[in-house]
């Protein structure tokens, strides 16, 4: 008789020593990786943590952002028991190691049962609830998802109605597991539709083992994480158990994480930042992780009460993307005691120097940057505690990884020419936490160089201490008449103005130069009034190259951001394109003041539509002039005529 499998016990992850230099990283590499990291799966991480920490709080869920309200807590022992029960339920529902379990949940304790129980039984597929039904369904069809674990209430994003609609769009889906809100009364929902079952009711499974007896190898696929998805078709990146385990171990080593740490994880759990460096790393080392309401950092009350929450839970570190740090910079500490904080980290986007300086000035916290990406299981480089680096420095590579910076070729792609220290180029990696490719082999081929290096698309350089500094993304370069303009140069200049909270430079289309640099900015609440002309002059004085000086600055109420909080530059580029077209249309209309002004609007993700209003008069030469003026632009512009037939300018 075969006994249910329990992995060999190992100690939980713990830092070997403080990392303060590249030499320290190399010291960690002195042992073979298999000796330094014998753990094979995320399931083993939770077994080890439960054995080591037992009744210590692992997850603390805040029903509201009120620091006075009592939280809901799970210990490490309770978390492992729940993971066993979730994995065993999924096994009972027919989920095997090759089957996908899709997850459509807000921030909640049950998300961790779905994540880690899903990986113990099969392959977990976290989904972004902000995407359209069709995009979510397309990803589920690609993964052949068998089970969907979904939130049983609408919340702020329509979770439950979306889940019910997805049932008809994914033929492979056999079961929907409904997660009830924490405060829902028993029996409040009445009978559920066929094929939909209540997770809590069906969770009465063995809590001490995996009944499948599964032995998980490091090469087994643990998760499908989607990249992008805001525009175009999302790609599904395959993460092995070994890649995710390495990310957790590397974060613990580089950041010195210990069981005495407590942190608020406000990242969404459909994104690698929240799941791997944000959650798995903490749970591998005995850290208490606070989940700040179902809406996480999108909850304005969480931001407003953040420093009081830090005091209430004795947090030892702050972790948030730069846009969230900018919001926190507007929240006074007041009387909150935040002396327990020892570390502040950020990632996902480049940190503006002025924001870094403001944060340190206001709160006494130096902001440490890191680099992470879906293709490297969430983390690539880290600036450790105690290392003060300038803004834009994302720290040292993780142990056992390889890093190169190479020149760009004529098409803006990675070449074979390595750049010396201090010289910029594209960043390449090889690493134990490298993803196992996309589900689509064609997408995988595009992600790597011909000799097997991950081409990140990030631009930067390595300094004389071996630290990586980032300047931006290759796709964000503004190309003016063949001259590559780094938007960070412009953003750093404008970001130095005391009235500016966030800013982003993009390229506006131009018939002659291809692109011209322009900037969007949001202002610090309560700052003294400032005009766009003043901001433009301030920026121009601080940008040395004439070609890089922006043509205009536009102040906007809110910066568009992705679901993770990164500034979303594609939308800004679309706005700039519309503004450029509008200016040209206005110029043509000045010669024909009696005709109604056409309406300029976006058409899809990459085109601009000019709608000519039917005035009863024959536009004739005026409309032809409109086409002549717009045709040279390096973007697609369509003119909708009074008859409704769109014509490309």
């Amino acid at each position: 008789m075969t006994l249910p499998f329990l992995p060999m016990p190992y100690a939980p992850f713990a830092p070997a020593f403080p990392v303060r230099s590249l030499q320290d990283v190399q010291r960690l590499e002195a042992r073979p990786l298999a000796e330094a990291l014998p753990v094979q799966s995320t399931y083993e991480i939770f077994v080890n943590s439960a054995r080591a920490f037992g009744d210590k709080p692992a997850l603390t869920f805040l029903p509201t952002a009120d620091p006075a309200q009592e939280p809901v807590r799970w210990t490490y022992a309770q978390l492992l028991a729940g993971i066993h029960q979730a994995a065993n339920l999924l096994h009972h529902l027919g989920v095997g190691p090759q089957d996908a379990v899709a997850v459509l949940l807000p921030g909640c304790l049950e998300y961790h049962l779905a994540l880690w129980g899903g990986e113990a039984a099969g392959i977990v597929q976290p989904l972004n609830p902000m995407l359209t039904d069709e995009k979510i369904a397309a990803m589920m069809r690609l993964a052949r998802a068998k089970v969907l674990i979904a939130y049983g209430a609408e919340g702020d994003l329509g979770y439950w109605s979306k889940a019910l609609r997805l049932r008809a769009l994914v033929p492979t889906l056999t079961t929907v597991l409904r997660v009830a809100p924490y405060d829902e009364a028993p029996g409040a929902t009445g009978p559920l539709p066929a094929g939909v079952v209540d997770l809590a009711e069906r969770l009465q499974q063995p809590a001490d083992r995996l009944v499948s007896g599964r032995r998980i190898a490091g090469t087994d696929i643990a998760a499908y994480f989607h990249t992008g998805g805001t525009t175009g078709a999302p790609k599904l990146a395959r993460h092995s158990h070994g890649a995710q385990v390495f990310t957790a171990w590397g974060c613990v080593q580089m950041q010195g994480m210990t069981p005495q740490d407590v942190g608020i994880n406000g990242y969404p759990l459909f994104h690698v930042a929240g799941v791997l460096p944000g959650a798995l790393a903490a749970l591998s080392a005995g850290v208490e992780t606070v989940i700040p309401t179902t809406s996480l950092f999108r909850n304005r009350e969480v931001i407003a009460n953040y420093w009081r929450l830090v005091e209430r839970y004795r947090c030892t570190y702050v972790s948030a993307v730069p846009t969230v740090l900018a919001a926190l910079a507007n929240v006074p500490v007041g009387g909150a005691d935040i002396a327990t904080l020892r570390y502040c980290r950020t990632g996902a986007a480049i940190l503006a120097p002025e924001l870094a300086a403001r944060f340190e000035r206001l709160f006494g916290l130096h902001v440490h940057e890191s680099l992470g990406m879906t293709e490297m299981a969430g983390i690539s480089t880290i600036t450790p505690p105690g290392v003060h680096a300038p803004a834009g420095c994302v720290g040292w590579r993780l142990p056992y990884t390889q890093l190169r910076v190479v020149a760009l070729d004529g098409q803006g792609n990675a070449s074979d020419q390595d750049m010396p220290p201090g010289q910029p180029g594209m960043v390449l990696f090889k690493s134990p936490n490298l993803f196992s490719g996309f589900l689509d082999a064609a997408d995988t081929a595009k992600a790597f160089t011909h000799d097997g290096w991950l081409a990140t698309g990030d631009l930067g350089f390595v300094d004389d201490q071996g630290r990586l500094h980032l300047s931006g993304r290759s796709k964000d370069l503004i190309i003016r008449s063949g001259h590559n303009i780094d938007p960070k140069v412009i953003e750093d200049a404008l970001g130095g103005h005391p009235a500016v909270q966030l800013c982003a430079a993009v390229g506006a289309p131009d018939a002659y130069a291809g692109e011209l640099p322009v900037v969007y900015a949001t202002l610090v609440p309560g700052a003294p009034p400032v005009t766009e002309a003043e901001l433009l002059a301030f920026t121009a004085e601080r940008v040395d190259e004439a070609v890089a000086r922006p043509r205009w600055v536009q102040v906007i109420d809110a910066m568009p951001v992705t679901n993770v909080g990164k500034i979303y530059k594609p939308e800004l580029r679309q706005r700039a394109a519309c503004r450029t077209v509008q200016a040209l249309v206005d110029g043509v209309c000045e010669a024909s003041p009696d005709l109604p002004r056409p309406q300029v609007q976006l058409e899809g993700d990459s085109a601009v539509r000019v709608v000519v209003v039917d005035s009863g008069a024959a536009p004739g030469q005026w409309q032809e002039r409109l086409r002549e003026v717009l045709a040279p632009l390096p973007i697609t512009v369509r003119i909708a005529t009074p008859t409704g037939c769109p014509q490309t300018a």
Side-chain angles (χ1 to χ4, degrees), residues 8 15 17 23 104-105 162 167 207 336 394 464 492 555-556 572:
M8 180 184 299
F17 45 78
Q23 288 70 36
L104 194 70
L105 293 172
K162 187 174 292 247
R167 297 171 65 216
V394 295
D464 57 4
D492 287 352
V555 174
I556 55 179
L572 296 179

Side-chain angles (χ1 to χ4, degrees), residues 457-469:
D458 289 307
L459 302 178
F461 66 91
V462 174
D463 65 20
D464 57 4
Q465 298 182 47
R467 301 176 303 187
L468 179 64
H469 296 245

Side-chain angles (χ1 to χ4, degrees), residues 25 29 246 376 379-381 396-403 429-433 453:
V25 175
E29 298 169 329
F246 179 82
M376 287 183 69
I379 201 70
S380 309
T381 67
W396 289 290
R397 61 175 179 81
L398 270 60
Y400 305 101
T401 69
Q402 300 176 67
L403 163 66
F429 281 104
K430 287 184 179 180
S431 173
N433 64 347
W453 289 80

Side-chain angles (χ1 to χ4, degrees), residues 458-548:
D458 289 307
L459 302 178
F461 66 91
V462 174
D463 65 20
D464 57 4
Q465 298 182 47
R467 301 176 303 187
L468 179 64
H469 296 245
L470 293 185
S471 60
R473 299 278 296 167
S474 58
K475 65 182 180 182
D476 288 336
L477 285 175
I478 302 165
I479 304 175
R480 178 177 183 173
S481 299
H483 186 99
N484 289 349
I485 300 171
D486 183 350
K488 188 173 184 294
V489 173
I490 304 169
E491 292 159 359
D492 287 352
L494 178 55
H497 194 286
V500 172
Q501 176 164 284
L502 294 171
C503 61
V506 297
D510 182 75
Y512 174 74
E515 289 184 316
L516 294 173
V518 300
V519 198
Y520 290 91
T522 61
L523 302 182
V524 175
V530 62
T531 68
E532 293 176 346
E534 290 170 338
L535 294 176
L536 182 62
F538 179 91
T539 308
E541 289 175 2
R542 288 158 178 79
V543 174
D544 293 335
E545 286 190 289
V547 293

Side-chain angles (χ1 to χ4, degrees), residues 64-67 264 299-311 328 331 336:
T64 72
D66 182 357
I264 297 173
N299 185 337
R300 293 183 179 180
E301 290 302 309
V302 169
I303 300 299
N305 290 325
Y306 186 84
W307 302 116
R308 294 171 61 209
L309 293 172
V310 166
E311 177 184 45
L328 291 176
V331 179

Side-chain angles (χ1 to χ4, degrees), residues 187-206:
T189 59
L192 295 174
V196 179
V197 296
D198 183 85
L199 176 69
E201 290 181 4
R202 295 293 300 274
L203 209 56
Q204 306 309 310
Q205 300 283 333

Side-chain angles (χ1 to χ4, degrees), residues 258-466:
T258 74
Q260 286 70 50
D261 283 319
V262 180
I264 297 173
N265 183 4
Y267 296 95
L269 290 176
F270 57 79
H271 191 274
V272 287
V275 174
L276 299 173
L280 185 63
L283 295 168
S284 74
V287 175
E288 179 182 357
T289 298
V290 178
I291 305 170
T293 79
T294 54
S295 298
L296 306 167
F297 281 152
R298 288 187 299 106
N299 185 337
R300 293 183 179 180
E301 290 302 309
V302 169
I303 300 299
N305 290 325
Y306 186 84
W307 302 116
R308 294 171 61 209
L309 293 172
V310 166
E311 177 184 45
R312 167 75 165 81
Y313 294 100
R314 313 303 293 162
C315 294
T316 59
Y317 62 86
V318 173
S319 181
V321 296
T323 51
V324 172
L325 294 183
L328 291 176
N330 297 323
V331 179
V333 171
D337 178 4
I338 63 171
T340 53
L341 292 173
R342 68 173 184 89
Y343 186 47
C344 178
R345 66 188 184 209
T346 192
I350 296 173
L351 179 69
E354 176 55 33
L355 175 57
R358 191 189 329 160
F359 213 80
E360 190 158 5
R361 184 170 62 249
L362 291 172
F363 310 117
L365 293 170
H366 181 80
V367 184
H368 300 71
E369 295 180 73
S370 60
L371 170 64
M373 60 195 76
T374 304
E375 294 86 347
M376 287 183 69
I379 201 70
S380 309
T381 67
I382 292 176
T383 304
V387 176
H388 284 208
C393 176
V394 295
W396 289 290
R397 61 175 179 81
L398 270 60
Y400 305 101
T401 69
Q402 300 176 67
L403 163 66
R404 293 173 65 194
V405 174
V406 300
L408 301 180
D409 63 18
Q411 290 72 48
N413 299 316
S415 72
D416 292 329
Q417 178 188 346
D418 287 281
M419 302 302 291
Q423 294 298 309
M426 184 181 291
V427 181
L428 310 181
F429 281 104
K430 287 184 179 180
S431 173
N433 64 347
L434 201 60
F435 77 136
S436 302
F438 295 109
L439 276 184
D440 188 325
D443 290 330
T444 303
K446 297 174 185 175
F448 292 90
T449 64
H450 67 92
D451 51 352
W453 289 80
L454 177 69
T456 66
D458 289 307
L459 302 178
F461 66 91
V462 174
D463 65 20
D464 57 4
Q465 298 182 47

